[in-house]
Amino acid sequence: MECAGRGRGRRSRCSGPPSRRCSRCGAVSYCSLSHQVSHWSVHKEECERLQQQMKLADAINDFPFTFSREATVDVFDKVENRCSFLEKQGIHRLGMWICECYCGGSVASSDHSRLLEGWNLSSVSCPCRGPLSPIWKQLSSWKDYYEWRCIPLYSPVALLLHWPLTLYWVIQLAAGRSLIPELSDQLCIHYLGPDKELFQLAVFGELHALFPGVKVHMDLVGPDIPKCRDGEIIELDGYAPCDETNCLCKSSEENLRLCASTGKPSAVTLMLHAGYYHDRYRDVTKGSFPDLIIAPNAGVAAYTSWLPTIELIKEIEVPAVFSDYCEEACYLAASCISTVTSSPPKIPIQLNPFRQPLAVEDGALLLPCYSNCFLFGM
């Protein structure tokens, strides 16, 4: 957390840590009274809005897990950090979990073996096989999902499953507003700006369970995809495996059981494209046209490179949903997009029930921040 008034005026050097919080909104802090006063001309435009956002803190931090406090409030208060939390769960710097803390984030992006690694958890604690029953109702919370998949609430799998579950929720929202047609037997998604997901692609195997009988194809497009992986096709035939040698998830028969509930073949195919979406669009759409575009943790207001992509999405008239780490980031992103499109969001800014239940450390604001925390759509 930096002083919000840092860098303003000739005497801009901070006099100490930013321990002086705005008494009104509580979302920003300053190193001194002088920096707070000099920053007021800027902050007064956002203070009331941030104050309203801070009122949602308890709801944002609310999760059903046995580890919820350790992963949320304790991380914000620096009682815990992401590394210590993952260590307690026995998954620190292991397999797909390796990018979930700063010390593991330096893993080389060319390490293809990440794709083959599983949950590093017992079969009881992870969805390594197909569900015992089809989805009986629309899932609208982590508790719904864990009950359906018979996973105990002490399991940390939601930390990675927030990627496919956010995708599931976005599709429900878009279909509910008639932005996309009802699901048939195929679904094509353009997934923009993947980052750590590139080391966790196996979790998208859960789309077999979430969309049984549907052939899901995802084109992942972004500058963080290494050029050596451009054009790579990944077929996820089943679920990410557990760490038990004799579990049925290691059996090819288990993969054949994926479509048993519908009688239809199920498939999840991913294709990687290096570069920005507006530069790669023609290549990406040679095979198929997208039903939906999703941009997780997009940071639209922070990166000018989004402008030509937003203009392209407006031109092709494909529904697009963006998520970000906090409500303020979504507010700024939606404002930027509305300037380009001259229209408000078709899906208003809202809390994502399938946000990652592990707090982001050292955010720019004192707002609760989580991966895929809030979302909206154009």
Side-chain angles (χ1 to χ4, degrees):
M1 180 73 189
E2 291 184 346
C3 170
R6 183 170 176 259
R8 292 185 59 80
R10 289 180 295 176
R11 298 180 180 179
S12 60
R13 174 175 282 186
C14 287
S15 60
S19 56
R20 184 184 182 91
R21 293 177 71 162
C22 173
S23 60
R24 185 180 183 185
C25 70
V28 298
S29 59
Y30 302 91
C31 67
S32 64
L33 177 60
S34 62
H35 271 199
Q36 184 172 6
V37 171
S38 67
H39 189 245
W40 176 244
S41 61
V42 174
H43 182 55
K44 67 181 180 181
E45 302 295 329
E46 64 185 10
C47 187
E48 184 176 354
R49 183 174 71 246
L50 293 176
Q51 182 183 22
Q52 295 304 311
Q53 293 175 15
M54 284 292 284
K55 289 179 180 179
L56 295 175
D58 288 344
I60 297 170
N61 293 332
D62 186 28
F63 294 98
F65 308 109
T66 59
F67 55 78
S68 293
R69 182 174 180 85
E70 297 169 69
T72 60
V73 177
D74 286 353
V75 172
F76 284 124
D77 293 342
K78 300 188 183 300
V79 176
E80 291 273 4
N81 58 42
R82 291 174 75 99
C83 289
S84 65
F85 173 77
L86 294 171
E87 284 175 356
K88 288 181 178 179
Q89 300 295 318
I91 49 178
H92 185 231
R93 300 196 68 176
L94 290 179
M96 296 191 294
W97 307 93
I98 199 163
C99 290
E100 290 305 320
C101 61
Y102 291 128
C103 69
S106 60
V107 178
S109 60
S110 60
D111 186 354
H112 291 233
S113 67
R114 297 288 161 212
L115 186 63
L116 304 176
E117 292 180 304
W119 289 109
N120 293 99
L121 295 168
S122 69
S123 60
V124 173
S125 299
C126 66
C128 62
R129 292 180 285 162
L132 296 177
S133 62
I135 297 177
W136 66 87
K137 63 175 182 177
Q138 179 177 295
L139 305 175
S140 59
S141 69
W142 279 121
K143 187 176 181 182
D144 286 349
Y145 172 79
Y146 269 55
E147 287 180 353
W148 169 55
R149 291 297 258 132
C150 303
I151 301 171
L153 289 173
Y154 61 75
S155 169
V157 291
L159 272 63
L160 302 186
L161 284 170
H162 76 289
W163 299 120
L165 266 295
T166 292
L167 188 56
Y168 165 85
W169 186 247
V170 163
I171 290 169
Q172 305 310 309
L173 288 178
R177 292 177 176 270
S178 301
L179 298 179
I180 60 174
E182 288 189 21
L183 289 183
S184 55
D185 58 348
Q186 294 189 17
L187 180 63
C188 180
I189 300 163
H190 286 182
Y191 190 106
L192 311 190
D195 183 11
K196 64 174 65 174
E197 302 99 304
L198 297 172
F199 301 98
Q200 302 167 344
L201 294 176
V203 302
F204 287 104
E206 187 63 9
L207 296 175
H208 285 293
L210 295 168
F211 301 108
V214 178
K215 293 182 178 180
V216 180
H217 176 78
M218 285 208 306
D219 287 291
L220 290 83
V221 190
D224 289 322
I225 295 175
K227 289 185 178 180
C228 63
R229 299 189 69 176
D230 185 44
E232 182 179 335
I233 298 175
I234 301 144
E235 295 183 358
L236 299 177
D237 297 324
Y239 302 94
C242 67
D243 63 0
E244 296 174 10
T245 305
N246 297 322
C247 180
L248 284 175
C249 69
K250 309 299 190 299
S251 168
S252 59
E253 293 181 3
E254 177 64 21
N255 289 336
L256 293 175
R257 200 168 64 84
L258 291 173
C259 58
S261 62
T262 62
K264 299 178 182 178
S266 183
V268 178
T269 306
L270 316 177
M271 187 169 182
L272 308 184
H273 306 269
Y276 292 108
Y277 188 60
H278 51 272
D279 292 329
R280 298 302 310 273
Y281 174 73
R282 292 187 182 278
D283 296 330
V284 175
T285 53
K286 281 181 180 177
S288 60
F289 194 73
D291 299 298
L292 179 71
I293 296 169
I294 181 169
N297 299 325
V300 170
Y303 302 101
T304 56
S305 55
W306 274 109
L307 180 57
T309 290
I310 300 302
E311 291 173 338
L312 172 62
I313 294 172
K314 177 187 176 183
E315 179 184 337
I316 62 177
E317 298 183 329
V318 173
V321 177
F322 304 82
S323 75
D324 226 312
Y325 291 97
C326 67
E327 186 177 2
E328 179 66 4
C330 278
Y331 170 83
L332 297 174
S335 298
C336 291
I337 292 173
S338 294
T339 300
V340 175
T341 62
S342 302
S343 60
K346 291 184 178 179
I347 298 176
I349 297 171
Q350 56 193 275
L351 185 63
N352 175 16
F354 296 108
R355 61 197 177 279
Q356 185 185 46
L358 179 57
V360 174
E361 297 173 291
D362 300 322
L365 298 169
L366 292 168
L367 294 167
C369 292
Y370 297 91
S371 180
N372 286 325
C373 191
F374 281 81
L375 51 80
F376 69 96
M378 63 177 284

